[in-house]
Amino acid sequence: MMKMFHKGLLAFISFLLIFAIAGCGGAEETTLGKIKKNKSIVVGTDATFPPFEYKNDKKEYDGFDVELIQAIANEMGVKVQFVDTEFKGLIPGLQAKKFDLIVSAMYKTAEREKAIRFSDTYYPGGLAIMVKKDDSKIKGIEDLDRKEVAVQIGTKSVSFLKEKYPKVKPKEVEKNTDMFLELESGRVEAVVTGKPAAKVYAKEKGTVKVLDQLLTHEEYGYGIRKNDPELAKEVNTALKKLKENGKYDQIVKKWFGE
């Protein structure tokens, strides 16, 4: 009887040891660990928002965000793989692990921080109003009451207008380029979007202008899953290094001027 007890006890102890070893060996690999192993970071972006991110004449990813994240990846010792995704699908895509990082001129907001974490700020921004160049009637947000205004679905512009200026009629469109087309074709009176990109577009086109009034003060950040603190730390460290060695300033000057 005692022998049977000892055999059973030894079998049970062996089972526990095997289970413990298997558990240790089967620990899920971190996102940063996978990135380092594959020498590649997968980035989600809506490539329709020049000069931040877009596809150039060669159908290559280009823009401020693109060049900066490539410089950050270089500091990390990895390459970048882009996944073109509609803006409204970026956070769901990140949560579903379709990519490791969101790099798409995304404002850091309290609402988004409920779902994801953000990197340190990599560029300042804010919402502004764009109108046709010959429009003299619209001088500020107060002149947009009961007027249709183009905004990109899923962006801060949508919630800002609905919460702060309910008399304005936001017309939600899928892409950034659609907003500008709505304005230039006369289907809306104005566009509300990020000022840095709006200023560059207005300068290139010459048919629209951006009003001086800054509606909000915002900060751009990279979107990271909440359970990836190691990746956030690595990205922030690389960004800090680029700011210290002058590379960051070079990239900013290239895309936005002085």
Side-chain angles (χ1 to χ4, degrees), residues 21-34:
I21 292 169
C24 291
E28 187 176 353
E29 187 177 26
T30 66
T31 300
L32 181 60
K34 183 193 70 173

Side-chain angles (χ1 to χ4, degrees), residues 105 123 187 222:
Y123 197 71
R187 290 193 288 267
Y222 300 131

Side-chain angles (χ1 to χ4, degrees), residues 179-222:
M179 289 190 302
F180 303 142
L181 183 60
E182 288 289 309
L183 175 61
E184 296 195 69
S185 63
R187 290 193 288 267
V188 297
E189 299 287 336
V191 166
V192 171
T193 189
K195 189 168 186 176
K199 292 283 285 184
V200 172
Y201 180 85
K203 183 178 180 180
E204 290 177 351
K205 294 293 289 186
T207 56
V208 295
K209 63 183 178 182
V210 180
L211 303 185
D212 291 334
Q213 181 185 24
L214 191 63
L215 303 177
T216 65
H217 292 273
E218 310 289 348
E219 296 179 342
Y220 292 109
Y222 300 131

Side-chain angles (χ1 to χ4, degrees), residues 108-123:
K108 299 163 70 170
T109 69
E111 186 63 28
R112 287 171 180 154
E113 285 177 336
K114 293 177 183 178
I116 62 174
R117 72 169 65 229
F118 279 101
S119 69
D120 292 341
T121 299
Y122 68 86
Y123 197 71

Side-chain angles (χ1 to χ4, degrees), residues 49-103:
F49 194 52
F52 282 90
E53 50 271 326
Y54 64 98
K55 289 181 181 177
N56 59 28
D57 295 338
K58 297 179 181 179
K59 304 302 180 184
E60 298 169 334
Y61 288 94
D62 208 348
F64 171 69
D65 273 344
V66 172
E67 188 168 345
L68 183 57
I69 195 60
Q70 286 173 334
I72 287 173
N74 187 58
E75 290 292 334
M76 294 170 60
V78 300
K79 301 292 184 181
V80 180
Q81 177 187 339
F82 292 101
V83 178
D84 202 357
T85 304
E86 289 185 348
F87 196 87
K88 65 182 180 182
L90 287 171
I91 290 178
L94 180 69
Q95 293 173 322
K97 298 188 176 181
K98 292 182 179 178
F99 32 81
D100 307 315
L101 198 69
I102 295 173
V103 180

Side-chain angles (χ1 to χ4, degrees), residues 1 6 12 28 45 48 56 67 101 110 112-113 126 146 152 184 230 235 238 249:
M1 188 75 177
H6 282 198
F12 179 68
E28 187 176 353
T45 190
T48 64
N56 59 28
E67 188 168 345
L101 198 69
R112 287 171 180 154
E113 285 177 336
R146 298 180 178 81
Q152 186 180 11
E184 296 195 69
E230 301 90 353
V235 169
D249 289 337

